[in-house]
Amino acid sequence: MADVALSTMEQQELVREAARAPSVHNVQPARWRFSSDGGVILFRALDRTLPAADPSGHDVEVSLGAAFEGMAIALSSRGYRLGIPQADVDARADGCAPLVRAAIATGGTLDPLAPQVARRHTHRGEFARGSSALRAALPALAHDDVRVIDQPTAIAEIGERHDAATWRFESRPEYHAELWSWLRLSPGDPRYDRDGLNADCLALSGAERIAARLLLRPVVFTRLASLGIARRLIGESRQTRSATAIILFAPRRAETPFDVGRRFYRLWLEITAAGLHAAPMSASADDMTARALLTKEARLPADRRVANVLRVGKAPPEGVAVSPRLPDAELLV
């Protein structure tokens, strides 16, 4: 490995930037250690799991891949390059499992997507009316692993199916209870600015925040579900209809979740570079019925799969909330 020595301040800056990568439910499972031999080790925090929503750990591994790509981008902005990740089974850290290690070397060039890291934010509310310039930018996003859907009728239909898929998950009490544990609906919550999905990032109005705190509480939500009311509380079809396009991310089936996460982060940064904001519609990728329909409609070849779905559009004039992140000190082990 190259002899690269990073100061504590540099390490903190690097993990802070790497942490801007997206993670499932914003659980932020990545932890880091810069080794004395000039490398970096990526750990998985063992308490950052989603047994109900992600029993196999697939989505957490995707999140770790995105974080690794975030570290590579952050290093590139300082003239370094991150080597090929190698499995690491020897490193130890309390409450963490080692995932990969990689060498850090000098001579790196700035990643062209680096300027987009600070600009990328999730927008879960309604989008503003899209301009012709934004629509003109959509074809450039299409790749072998990306399909762009911009017909309003198709977008609306996907939105309706997404709501149905979301309900198939949310109607499971254990799934909803787990999601509730990652919701931060009151600024008084000590976790509000740390992790999870807070009310600002969910783009909830004042009245919606009060209603969510009351009605999404698991014991209440279960009762409302039995009365046939709960489903209406979690629908997003209105937000989806406001989108300029739907993006299907379809990597090869043979790709590991870690590599899928690396590419997914870069795709989201490409979307940001095109002047668009995005919101994940993960239920449409996770639900068998919704995923099968998207696969058929997009005419995906047999060696590809729908790994995620994003609705994209123009941010509203008032801007987009910045999702919370854990303090730098907690990311270094």
Side-chain angles (χ1 to χ4, degrees):
M1 293 186 179
D3 185 16
V4 174
L6 299 169
S7 68
T8 300
M9 181 176 293
E10 287 177 309
Q11 293 179 22
Q12 291 174 338
E13 291 173 350
L14 287 166
V15 299
R16 186 184 312 138
E17 291 180 32
R20 293 313 309 171
S23 65
V24 55
H25 285 4
N26 195 25
V27 304
Q28 303 172 58
R31 301 292 182 268
W32 303 92
R33 175 183 296 158
F34 293 88
S35 55
S36 58
D37 57 4
V40 65
I41 305 169
L42 171 61
F43 292 85
R44 172 173 58 89
L46 297 176
D47 62 342
R48 300 272 161 164
T49 61
L50 298 166
D54 182 35
S56 70
H58 173 279
D59 293 349
V60 168
E61 190 172 346
V62 169
S63 303
L64 290 163
F68 186 86
E69 189 63 25
M71 179 59 73
I73 294 171
L75 284 164
S76 80
S77 67
R78 292 160 177 80
Y80 298 112
R81 52 190 175 86
L82 188 59
I84 297 172
Q86 305 289 336
D88 191 307
V89 295
D90 297 325
R92 296 289 182 268
D94 291 342
C96 297
L99 189 68
V100 296
R101 69 166 62 228
I104 300 173
T106 57
T109 57
L110 179 66
D111 191 301
L113 292 175
Q116 308 307 324
V117 170
R119 300 171 186 162
R120 186 203 70 84
H121 304 301
T122 302
H123 177 59
R124 292 184 172 83
E126 288 189 63
F127 294 109
R129 182 179 295 276
S131 65
S132 57
L134 283 179
R135 293 185 180 280
L138 292 173
L141 295 173
H143 299 288
D144 290 344
D145 59 359
V146 176
R147 299 292 187 273
V148 179
I149 300 169
D150 61 357
Q151 301 87 353
T153 53
I155 291 172
E157 183 175 349
I158 290 171
E160 294 294 334
R161 296 202 307 246
H162 174 71
D163 280 2
T166 299
W167 176 246
R168 283 192 282 273
F169 289 109
E170 282 282 327
S171 61
R172 294 163 41 198
E174 72 279 11
Y175 181 98
H176 181 76
E178 183 175 85
L179 176 62
W180 172 261
S181 73
W182 289 98
L183 293 180
R184 318 293 186 233
L185 299 175
S186 169
D189 189 325
R191 307 163 299 175
Y192 195 84
D193 294 317
R194 286 176 50 82
D195 57 14
L197 307 169
N198 70 26
D200 290 329
C201 294
L202 291 170
L204 299 180
S205 68
E208 288 171 333
R209 295 173 192 225
I210 295 171
R213 290 200 297 270
L214 180 65
L215 303 179
L216 296 185
R217 192 174 300 277
V219 64
V220 178
F221 190 82
T222 299
R223 177 59 178 159
L224 294 177
S226 68
L227 297 174
I229 300 172
R231 182 171 177 172
R232 294 199 295 271
L233 299 175
I234 58 173
E236 297 180 340
S237 58
R238 173 173 48 84
Q239 294 92 322
T240 303
R241 286 194 303 271
S242 72
T244 301
I246 300 292
I247 302 290
L248 303 186
F249 174 46
R252 295 188 185 279
R253 293 182 183 275
E255 291 184 51
T256 67
F258 186 83
D259 288 334
V260 166
R262 297 188 68 177
R263 168 63 182 131
F264 179 63
Y265 188 25
R266 296 192 68 81
L267 169 60
W268 202 329
L269 294 175
E270 290 171 7
I271 292 169
T272 304
L276 296 160
H277 281 78
M281 300 170 65
S282 301
S284 288
D286 295 340
D287 178 76
M288 186 180 300
T289 301
R291 184 175 65 245
L293 286 169
L294 288 171
T295 299
K296 180 180 179 180
E297 292 165 355
R299 299 180 180 178
L300 295 179
D303 67 336
R304 294 193 177 273
R305 65 183 180 91
V306 177
N308 215 322
V309 182
L310 294 163
R311 60 175 181 258
V312 303
K314 181 181 178 182
E318 59 269 24
V320 178
V322 179
S323 56
R325 290 297 187 267
L326 295 169
D328 311 337
E330 294 185 29
L331 304 177
L332 286 164
V333 298

